[in-house]
Coordinates of all heavy atoms in Angstrom, one line a residue:
S15 N -1.1 13.2 -4.8 CA -0.7 14.4 -5.4 C -0.7 15.5 -4.4 O -1.6 15.6 -3.5 CB -1.6 14.8 -6.6 OG -1.4 16.0 -7.1
P17 N 0.2 20.1 -4.1 CA 0.3 21.2 -4.9 C 1.7 21.4 -5.5 O 2.7 21.1 -4.8 CB 0.0 22.4 -4.0 CG -1.0 21.8 -3.0 CD -0.4 20.4 -2.8
S26 N -6.7 30.8 -2.7 CA -7.5 30.0 -1.8 C -7.8 28.6 -2.3 O -7.9 27.7 -1.5 CB -8.8 30.8 -1.5 OG -9.5 31.0 -2.7
E27 N -8.0 28.5 -3.6 CA -8.2 27.2 -4.2 C -7.0 26.3 -4.0 O -7.1 25.1 -3.7 CB -8.5 27.4 -5.7 CG -8.6 26.1 -6.5 CD -9.9 25.3 -6.2 OE1 -10.8 25.9 -5.6 OE2 -10.0 24.2 -6.6
E28 N -5.8 26.9 -4.2 CA -4.5 26.1 -4.0 C -4.3 25.7 -2.6 O -3.8 24.6 -2.2 CB -3.3 26.9 -4.5 CG -3.3 27.0 -6.1 CD -2.2 27.9 -6.6 OE1 -1.8 28.8 -5.8 OE2 -1.9 27.8 -7.8
E29 N -4.7 26.6 -1.7 CA -4.6 26.3 -0.2 C -5.5 25.1 0.1 O -5.1 24.2 0.9 CB -5.0 27.5 0.6 CG -3.8 28.6 0.7 CD -4.1 29.7 1.6 OE1 -5.3 29.8 2.1 OE2 -3.3 30.5 1.8
L30 N -6.7 25.1 -0.4 CA -7.7 24.0 -0.2 C -7.1 22.7 -0.7 O -7.1 21.7 0.0 CB -9.0 24.3 -0.8 CG -10.1 23.2 -0.7 CD1 -10.4 22.9 0.7 CD2 -11.3 23.6 -1.5
T31 N -6.5 22.8 -1.9 CA -5.9 21.6 -2.5 C -4.8 21.1 -1.6 O -4.6 19.9 -1.4 CB -5.4 21.9 -3.9 OG1 -6.5 22.3 -4.7 CG2 -4.8 20.7 -4.6
A32 N -4.0 22.0 -1.1 CA -2.9 21.7 -0.3 C -3.3 20.9 1.0 O -2.8 20.0 1.5 CB -2.0 22.9 0.1
Q33 N -4.4 21.5 1.6 CA -5.0 20.8 2.8 C -5.5 19.4 2.5 O -5.3 18.5 3.3 CB -6.1 21.7 3.4 CG -5.6 23.0 4.0 CD -6.8 23.9 4.5 OE1 -7.9 23.8 3.9 NE2 -6.5 24.7 5.5
Q34 N -6.2 19.3 1.4 CA -6.8 18.0 1.0 C -5.6 17.0 0.8 O -5.7 15.9 1.2 CB -7.6 18.2 -0.3 CG -8.9 18.9 -0.1 CD -9.6 19.1 -1.5 OE1 -9.0 19.4 -2.5 NE2 -10.9 19.0 -1.5
A35 N -4.6 17.5 0.1 CA -3.5 16.6 -0.2 C -2.7 16.2 1.1 O -2.4 15.0 1.2 CB -2.5 17.3 -1.2
A36 N -2.5 17.1 2.0 CA -1.8 16.8 3.2 C -2.6 15.8 4.0 O -2.0 14.8 4.6 CB -1.6 18.1 4.0
K37 N -3.9 16.0 4.1 CA -4.7 15.0 4.8 C -4.8 13.7 4.1 O -4.7 12.6 4.8 CB -6.2 15.6 4.9 CG -7.1 14.8 5.9 CD -8.4 15.6 6.1 CE -9.3 14.9 7.1 NZ -10.5 15.6 7.3
G38 N -4.9 13.7 2.8 CA -4.9 12.5 2.0 C -3.6 11.7 2.2 O -3.6 10.5 2.3
N39 N -2.5 12.4 2.3 CA -1.2 11.8 2.4 C -1.1 11.1 3.8 O -0.5 10.0 3.9 CB 0.0 12.8 2.2 CG 0.1 13.3 0.8 OD1 -0.5 12.7 -0.1 ND2 0.8 14.4 0.6
L40 N -1.6 11.7 4.8 CA -1.6 11.1 6.1 C -2.4 9.8 6.2 O -2.0 8.8 6.7 CB -2.1 12.1 7.2 CG -1.2 13.2 7.6 CD1 -1.9 14.3 8.5 CD2 0.0 12.7 8.3
W41 N -3.6 9.9 5.5 CA -4.4 8.7 5.5 C -3.7 7.6 4.7 O -3.7 6.4 5.0 CB -5.8 9.0 4.8 CG -6.8 9.5 5.8 CD1 -7.6 10.6 5.6 CD2 -7.3 8.9 7.0 NE1 -8.5 10.8 6.6 CE2 -8.3 9.7 7.5 CE3 -6.9 7.8 7.7 CZ2 -8.9 9.5 8.7 CZ3 -7.5 7.5 8.9 CH2 -8.5 8.3 9.4
K54 N 1.1 17.3 11.6 CA 1.5 18.7 11.9 C 0.5 19.4 12.8 O -0.7 19.3 12.5 CB 1.8 19.5 10.7 CG 3.1 19.0 9.9 CD 3.4 19.9 8.7 CE 4.6 19.4 8.0 NZ 4.9 20.2 6.8
A128 N -6.3 8.2 14.1 CA -7.4 8.2 13.1 C -8.3 9.4 13.4 O -8.8 10.1 12.5 CB -8.1 6.9 13.1
Q129 N -8.6 9.6 14.7 CA -9.6 10.6 15.0 C -8.9 12.0 14.8 O -9.6 13.0 14.4 CB -10.0 10.5 16.5 CG -10.9 9.3 16.8 CD -12.2 9.3 15.9 OE1 -12.8 10.3 15.7 NE2 -12.5 8.1 15.5
K130 N -7.6 12.1 15.0 CA -6.9 13.4 14.8 C -6.9 13.7 13.3 O -7.1 14.9 12.9 CB -5.5 13.3 15.3 CG -4.8 14.7 15.5 CD -3.6 14.6 16.4 CE -3.1 16.0 16.7 NZ -2.0 16.0 17.6
I131 N -6.6 12.7 12.5 CA -6.6 13.0 11.0 C -8.0 13.3 10.6 O -8.2 14.3 9.8 CB -6.1 11.8 10.2 CG1 -4.6 11.5 10.6 CG2 -6.2 12.0 8.7 CD1 -4.0 10.2 10.0
K132 N -9.0 12.6 11.0 CA -10.4 12.9 10.7 C -10.8 14.3 11.0 O -11.5 14.9 10.2 CB -11.3 11.9 11.4 CG -12.8 12.1 11.0 CD -13.7 11.2 11.9 CE -15.2 11.5 11.6 NZ -16.0 10.7 12.5
S133 N -10.3 14.8 12.1 CA -10.7 16.1 12.6 C -10.0 17.3 11.8 O -10.4 18.4 12.0 CB -10.5 16.3 14.1 OG -9.1 16.3 14.4
M134 N -9.0 16.9 11.1 CA -8.3 18.0 10.3 C -9.2 18.6 9.2 O -10.1 17.9 8.7 CB -7.0 17.4 9.6 CG -6.0 17.0 10.6 SD -4.6 16.1 9.8 CE -4.0 17.4 8.7
K135 N -8.9 19.8 8.9 CA -9.7 20.5 7.8 C -9.0 20.2 6.5 O -7.8 20.0 6.5 CB -9.7 22.0 8.1 CG -10.5 22.4 9.4 CD -11.9 21.9 9.3 CE -12.7 22.4 10.6 NZ -14.1 21.9 10.6
P136 N -9.7 20.1 5.4 CA -11.2 20.2 5.3 C -11.9 18.8 5.6 O -11.2 17.8 5.7 CB -11.4 20.6 3.9 CG -10.3 19.9 3.2 CD -9.1 20.0 4.1
D137 N -13.2 18.9 5.8 CA -13.9 17.6 6.0 C -13.9 16.9 4.7 O -14.1 17.4 3.6 CB -15.4 17.9 6.3 CG -15.5 18.5 7.7 OD1 -14.7 18.2 8.6 OD2 -16.5 19.2 8.0
M138 N -13.6 15.6 4.7 CA -13.5 14.7 3.6 C -14.3 13.4 3.9 O -13.6 12.4 4.2 CB -12.1 14.5 3.2 CG -11.3 15.8 2.9 SD -9.5 15.6 2.7 CE -9.4 14.7 1.2
P139 N -15.6 13.5 3.9 CA -16.4 12.4 4.4 C -16.1 11.0 3.9 O -15.9 10.0 4.7 CB -17.8 12.8 4.0 CG -17.8 14.2 3.8 CD -16.4 14.5 3.3
E140 N -15.9 10.8 2.6 CA -15.6 9.5 2.1 C -14.3 8.9 2.6 O -14.2 7.8 3.1 CB -15.6 9.5 0.5 CG -15.4 8.1 -0.1 CD -15.1 8.1 -1.6 OE1 -14.8 9.2 -2.1 OE2 -15.1 7.0 -2.2
L141 N -13.3 9.7 2.5 CA -11.9 9.3 2.9 C -11.9 9.1 4.4 O -11.3 8.2 4.9 CB -10.9 10.3 2.4 CG -9.4 9.9 2.6 CD1 -9.1 8.6 1.9 CD2 -8.5 11.0 2.1
D142 N -12.4 10.1 5.2 CA -12.4 10.0 6.7 C -13.1 8.7 7.2 O -12.7 8.0 8.1 CB -13.0 11.2 7.3 CG -12.2 12.5 7.1 OD1 -11.0 12.3 6.8 OD2 -12.7 13.6 7.1
K143 N -14.3 8.4 6.6 CA -15.0 7.3 7.0 C -14.2 6.0 6.7 O -14.1 5.1 7.5 CB -16.4 7.2 6.2 CG -17.3 6.0 6.6 CD -18.6 6.2 5.9 CE -19.6 5.0 6.2 NZ -19.1 3.7 5.7
L208 N -9.7 10.5 -4.4 CA -9.0 11.8 -4.1 C -7.8 12.1 -5.0 O -7.7 13.2 -5.5 CB -8.5 11.8 -2.6 CG -7.7 13.0 -2.2 CD1 -8.5 14.3 -2.2 CD2 -7.0 12.8 -0.9
Q211 N -8.9 13.3 -8.5 CA -9.3 14.6 -8.4 C -8.2 15.6 -8.3 O -8.1 16.6 -9.1 CB -10.2 14.8 -7.2 CG -10.7 16.2 -6.9 CD -11.3 16.4 -5.5 OE1 -11.7 15.4 -4.9 NE2 -11.2 17.5 -4.9
L212 N -7.2 15.4 -7.4 CA -6.1 16.3 -7.2 C -5.1 16.2 -8.3 O -4.5 17.3 -8.7 CB -5.5 16.0 -5.9 CG -6.3 16.2 -4.6 CD1 -5.4 16.1 -3.4 CD2 -7.0 17.6 -4.6
K215 N -6.2 18.2 -11.3 CA -6.1 19.7 -11.0 C -4.6 20.1 -11.1 O -4.3 21.2 -11.6 CB -6.7 19.9 -9.6 CG -6.9 21.4 -9.3 CD -7.4 21.5 -7.9 CE -8.8 20.9 -7.7 NZ -9.3 21.2 -6.3

Side-chain angles (χ1 to χ4, degrees):
S15 170
S26 58
E27 175 74 12
E28 287 171 339
E29 284 185 353
L30 175 62
T31 300
Q33 290 176 334
Q34 290 174 321
K37 189 172 183 177
N39 291 344
L40 284 172
W41 276 129
K54 290 183 179 179
Q129 292 302 321
K130 194 162 187 176
I131 297 174
K132 180 186 175 184
S133 68
M134 291 173 65
K135 298 297 181 184
D137 291 333
M138 301 168 73
E140 181 191 14
L141 188 59
D142 291 338
K143 180 176 182 290
L208 173 67
Q211 172 194 339
L212 297 188
K215 190 183 296 185

